[in-house]
Amino acid sequence: GVTRVQDKRQKERSLCQQVLERFDQQYSQELGDLWPSARAVLLDPHSWQYGVMLNRFTTVTGITQILQSQGFSTLLPSPRPTLQCYIHPYPLRFPSQAHRPGQLKQYYLLNAASLLPVLALQIRDGEKVLDLCSAPGGKALAITQCATPALLCCNEPDPHRRDWLSKTLESFLPQSLISRVIVSAQDGRSFGQSEAGTYDKVLVDAPCSNDRSWLYSCSSQQGEQRLKERARLPALQTQLLRSALSAVRPGGAVVYSTCTLSSSENCAVVETVLNDCPEADPEDLWEEIAIPLAKYFTFSPAHPGHGQTPHKPSLLGILVVPQPGKTWGPMFLSRIRRRK
């Protein structure tokens, strides 16, 4: 029974040796003692936990009861009661919901760490919000669970991913809200020029070398490709973050996030942009997010990979490192405010 299913799942995921070797080299240096246990989690997909985000636009009492009876509990303390996410201490998979014509889905499955960048945005009702790299749409949905923006612009240049994003939004959001949501197809790097100073809040959930998926199912040729692509990503990420800082109004905030542990795509990108933008100030998320949620996630102050930094490491951002029993992440997040 169970073991056979697991064997089958294990076979589908062949390990990418080159990527693992690169991770070992880099992360043993950057994460120190946290790497061996993080590595064990990344190499054991059966240990991965999943969060269940409820959709406040549907009736969820039945779902809530089922979750609670199975041992799920709510993740977030009450300041954001409308954003409800249930997690389980064990890697229990809750079934995903099929599309039902004319009916909204009641919940969305996600890595619970991906809610943290949305919490860091501190969305308020009536704000104009830009989700610069929006597909597949989980963070956009989380934004609408937190508050009702006056406008939510979900930007995604890739046509296939944009299609997927639109379907996700349609299957979770009521008509009244869909009218406030725009799906746009611009190149994120030039977005800030075309809509300078327009938004109150901007999320840049940047394309990154996704540590979870990159470890699996790739030929050695693909492994080499991935590592080459990895070296090119920081330049793109830097352009996207600059663009976001142009799109936000003075006094507004940008949250930059990735799902990689790599400091060259995390801290180093934030640092590069801060050094170029005198009007941008990093904000410390340690007290606001890491301390209250330390029971559920393993946080590490994100360290730049090179030499000393003028900024305090925890100011530049926080990193969620997957650990046994708290397999959430990788997730890096940083909040930058544009000076008034």
Side-chain angles (χ1 to χ4, degrees):
V2 176
T3 47
R4 258 220 317 277
V5 171
Q6 283 181 343
D7 286 345
K8 183 169 174 290
R9 270 206 353 226
Q10 203 64 50
K11 276 203 189 74
E12 285 165 17
R13 298 177 188 265
S14 63
L15 188 63
C16 196
Q17 210 49 49
Q18 282 149 303
V19 172
L20 181 60
E21 282 165 23
R22 181 65 58 90
F23 283 5
D24 278 336
Q25 239 174 341
Q26 185 185 350
Y27 295 154
S28 52
Q29 218 178 355
E30 290 177 6
L31 298 170
D33 297 346
L34 282 174
W35 174 237
S37 42
R39 181 186 199 268
V41 169
L42 291 173
L43 293 180
D44 180 17
H46 305 306
S47 71
W48 298 357
Q49 291 159 278
Y50 295 85
V52 183
M53 176 172 69
L54 301 186
N55 185 3
R56 70 181 173 118
F57 306 109
T58 60
T59 321
V60 289
T61 27
I63 296 285
T64 305
Q65 285 166 343
I66 295 170
L67 286 166
Q68 286 168 340
S69 71
Q70 291 188 8
F72 281 84
S73 57
T74 52
L75 166 68
L76 301 165
S78 52
R80 281 288 149 116
T82 54
L83 175 62
Q84 285 194 46
C85 179
Y86 279 80
I87 59 170
H88 200 279
Y90 303 112
L92 190 66
R93 285 297 299 264
F94 203 67
S96 55
Q97 225 167 10
H99 176 68
R100 301 163 301 166
Q103 274 186 307
L104 296 179
K105 292 190 180 185
Q106 292 165 297
Y107 59 87
Y108 185 87
L109 301 181
L110 77 187
N111 181 332
S114 62
L115 294 175
L116 301 179
V118 174
L119 290 179
L121 275 173
Q122 300 183 319
I123 307 280
R124 306 274 173 261
D125 288 345
E127 288 184 323
K128 288 185 173 169
V129 184
L130 167 62
D131 183 2
L132 191 60
C133 316
S134 190
K139 291 186 179 68
L141 292 181
I143 287 170
T144 64
Q145 298 302 316
C146 287
T148 307
L151 167 72
L152 172 59
C153 177
C154 297
N155 185 63
E156 179 52 58
D158 180 278
H160 295 291
R161 288 173 62 81
R162 194 166 58 248
D163 227 26
W164 185 12
L165 168 68
S166 302
K167 285 196 175 73
T168 302
L169 295 168
E170 278 161 28
S171 55
F172 283 89
L173 302 182
Q175 226 24 69
S176 59
L177 198 59
I178 287 276
S179 61
R180 299 167 183 234
V181 177
I182 298 170
V183 175
S184 80
Q186 289 193 59
D187 182 330
R189 293 170 291 189
S190 53
F191 201 103
Q193 291 168 309
S194 56
E195 302 199 27
T198 305
Y199 295 91
D200 298 296
K201 304 280 164 73
V202 181
L203 174 63
V204 188
D205 185 41
C208 66
S209 57
N210 181 321
D211 293 354
R212 281 183 188 235
S213 63
W214 280 30
L215 268 178
Y216 293 102
S217 55
C218 70
S219 60
S220 60
Q221 206 180 359
Q222 217 179 348
E224 271 169 55
Q225 268 314 105
R226 282 186 169 168
L227 293 173
K228 277 188 191 134
E229 189 188 330
R230 193 170 209 235
R232 288 196 297 265
L233 281 165
L236 167 67
Q237 292 157 339
T238 303
Q239 289 173 300
L240 288 167
L241 181 49
R242 279 197 193 116
S243 173
L245 277 163
S246 304
V248 81
R249 65 167 172 78
V254 171
V255 169
Y256 173 78
S257 63
T258 72
C259 52
T260 179
L261 297 165
S262 174
S263 71
S264 59
E265 298 178 47
N266 295 338
C267 270
V269 167
V270 172
E271 223 187 339
T272 303
V273 172
L274 289 175
N275 290 339
D276 292 349
C277 299
E279 75 286 3
D281 291 315
E283 296 191 328
D284 199 335
L285 295 172
W286 197 256
E287 298 283 325
E288 185 184 313
I289 287 179
I291 290 174
L293 294 171
K295 186 175 138 193
Y296 303 108
F297 302 98
T298 300
F299 291 100
S300 161
H303 295 285
H306 47 270
Q308 278 316 101
T309 161
H311 303 284
K312 221 176 76 206
S314 60
L315 265 187
L316 285 179
I318 53 178
L319 185 62
V320 179
V321 183
Q323 294 291 291
K326 298 179 181 178
T327 62
W328 314 109
M331 182 60 54
F332 170 80
L333 53 148
S334 173
R335 185 172 66 217
I336 301 167
R337 195 161 296 275
R338 186 167 161 190
R339 263 186 229 150
K340 284 195 167 118

